Amino acid sequence: MLRVLQILEQYDPEHSPNTLSSDVIGCVVPRAPTTSESIYTEAVKTVHHANSATHNSSEVEDTNTLSRTRSGRADHTKWSTEQDSPKLHTKYRIKSSEEYRERRRLRQERFRAKQAQREKDLKTEVKKLRQDVPLLEMQRLRMSFENGLTLGSVVTEYFQIFRRGIWPSNAATSCFIKAMSQQQLVFLQTAISRHVIVGKFQGVDALIEQWRRYCTYFDNVEFRLGELEFSSPNIVWTRSTMSVSITEKTLEKVFPHLLEAEQLRLRSKLLSQRLVLPCRVCFEWNEVSKRVVRLDTMVDFITPLLDVLGNLDSVALALKKFLIISDCFH
């Protein structure tokens, strides 16, 4: 820029010796500006414009700085005023915050409860599936040998499986009892017809109920197989025995009339006695389905009671209101 100004000063008309005054030549029409004058004029305008822009920029910056300063002071004054003045709606904000936390806590509790219930359901389902695995495996093995089943083998297995009566299965029973219960269930499902005839009743449930009552009303049940008598290829009779012990529950459920005061003598004779009951069981076999379709059990109570009570009158009195017949025992 300094170099440009030096060049322009060389062409400055005020310092030029060839300049003519108005006294020498009058009424002269203004001449057109020379090239040097045009360059000088443009340069001066440029410098002046640059200085003006710089000055305006400084003024704008100063104005913005002043505005920010004033705004900051105003904000500080407003903040100070808010700090000094009571807060508005503070109670509402606190209440809203507490309500939000309470809703969040309730949602979390519901979520945890759902998770816990789901975990509990899954554990129950897994436990049930694990219990079903051995049962299904036994069914598979038995069905693979189903074609080789015969009436004699089924009768023998029936006395082996139900030698101690029916095994109850629940959450409190041991693994051994659960395994025995599953074995009995598999046998009933694979060797006994679903519509098996049991005395005056029909169905596997009737057979299970018969065994359940024997094991509930008597103590220490033991079922033993004797001889097999085939009356036909599909019908067999067995001579067997069922040994039971008489308890207070036996007197209550089977001999309730002996609980009367005048029957004290008979009651004392029967209590804690071990009876060996002769039995005859009839099995009818269906060769097509390879299942038992009829299972009748007949138990002789008269002979062992006669041995215990000593005479037929006492036996008749003991069996007068004998509930085991009305409860569908045979």
Side-chain angles (χ1 to χ4, degrees):
M1 181 62 71
L2 294 176
R3 180 60 179 166
V4 172
L5 293 176
Q6 291 175 1
I7 295 173
L8 293 177
E9 287 177 356
Q10 295 177 5
Y11 295 95
D12 188 353
E14 295 179 359
H15 299 86
S16 176
N18 298 324
T19 305
L20 296 178
S21 64
S22 58
D23 296 335
V24 178
I25 300 175
C27 301
V28 178
V29 178
R31 60 184 176 83
T34 62
T35 303
S36 60
E37 290 177 351
S38 299
I39 294 174
Y40 175 80
T41 302
E42 292 296 330
V44 171
K45 289 181 179 180
T46 302
V47 173
H48 179 71
H49 178 72
N51 292 334
S52 299
T54 303
H55 180 70
N56 293 336
S57 176
S58 299
E59 290 181 353
V60 171
E61 184 176 357
D62 294 340
T63 303
N64 293 336
T65 303
L66 181 60
S67 299
R68 286 196 298 270
T69 303
R70 291 177 178 176
S71 176
R73 290 177 179 176
D75 293 341
H76 178 72
T77 304
K78 181 179 179 181
W79 179 82
S80 301
T81 304
E82 290 180 354
Q83 290 291 325
D84 297 337
S85 62
K87 294 184 178 180
L88 299 177
H89 309 295
T90 303
K91 183 177 180 181
Y92 175 76
R93 288 198 296 270
I94 293 175
K95 183 178 180 181
S96 300
S97 178
E98 291 177 353
E99 290 179 353
Y100 171 75
R101 286 195 296 269
E102 181 65 17
R103 288 196 299 267
R104 184 176 180 181
R105 185 184 64 81
L106 293 176
R107 285 197 299 267
Q108 290 176 349
E109 287 182 356
R110 287 195 296 267
F111 176 76
R112 285 193 292 267
K114 288 181 180 179
Q115 290 293 100
Q117 184 62 37
R118 178 175 175 80
E119 183 178 358
K120 183 179 179 180
D121 294 341
L122 288 176
K123 287 182 178 180
T124 303
E125 187 66 21
V126 169
K127 184 177 180 180
K128 183 178 181 300
L129 291 174
R130 286 178 177 175
Q131 292 176 353
D132 291 342
V133 167
L135 179 63
L136 296 174
E137 182 65 20
M138 292 173 66
Q139 287 181 350
R140 185 187 68 82
L141 292 174
R142 189 172 186 87
M143 290 175 65
S144 63
F145 296 102
E146 190 176 45
N147 294 331
L149 292 178
T150 62
L151 177 57
S153 63
V154 169
V155 171
T156 303
E157 187 175 3
Y158 175 78
F159 277 88
Q160 290 177 350
I161 291 177
F162 290 92
R163 181 178 179 180
R164 294 290 181 178
I166 195 167
W167 295 90
S169 179
N170 51 56
T173 55
S174 63
C175 295
F176 173 76
I177 295 178
K178 288 181 180 179
M180 294 301 298
S181 177
Q182 289 179 351
Q183 186 179 6
Q184 290 178 343
L185 182 59
V186 169
F187 175 82
L188 293 174
Q189 291 178 348
T190 57
I192 306 297
S193 173
R194 182 182 303 177
H195 305 291
V196 62
I197 298 174
V198 184
K200 297 179 181 180
F201 298 89
Q202 187 176 7
V204 175
D205 292 340
L207 180 60
I208 294 175
E209 179 63 17
Q210 183 187 81
W211 273 112
R212 187 192 67 80
R213 294 191 181 188
Y214 270 120
C215 296
T216 302
Y217 296 167
F218 296 94
D219 191 22
N220 195 15
V221 176
E222 185 176 2
F223 199 38
R224 288 185 175 274
L225 175 63
E227 299 178 357
L228 297 180
E229 299 177 357
F230 283 89
S231 58
S232 70
N234 295 328
I235 297 177
V236 62
W237 287 85
T238 67
R239 294 182 179 274
S240 55
T241 58
M242 179 183 293
S243 300
V244 296
S245 297
I246 297 179
T247 63
E248 291 285 353
K249 194 166 188 177
T250 306
L251 297 177
E252 178 184 353
K253 297 294 183 179
V254 182
F255 305 97
H257 57 288
L258 297 182
L259 296 177
E260 299 174 0
E262 58 271 17
Q263 304 300 336
L264 178 60
R265 184 180 62 86
L266 290 179
R267 184 168 66 249
S268 60
K269 283 186 176 182
L270 286 177
L271 189 61
S272 301
Q273 288 291 332
R274 182 72 174 170
L275 302 180
V276 181
L277 309 173
C279 303
R280 284 179 61 83
V281 185
C282 178
F283 294 86
E284 184 176 346
W285 180 254
N286 187 311
E287 189 64 31
V288 177
S289 63
K290 298 291 183 180
R291 281 172 169 78
V292 175
V293 294
R294 178 184 292 273
L295 202 159
D296 290 330
T297 304
M298 292 174 286
V299 181
D300 180 11
F301 279 89
I302 297 177
T303 302
L305 286 177
L306 182 60
D307 294 338
V308 173
L309 299 178
N311 58 78
L312 290 175
D313 293 337
S314 298
V315 172
L317 182 59
L319 298 178
K320 183 178 181 180
K321 297 181 180 179
F322 193 48
L323 294 184
I324 201 167
I325 297 177
S326 61
D327 281 346
C328 307
F329 290 95
H330 310 289

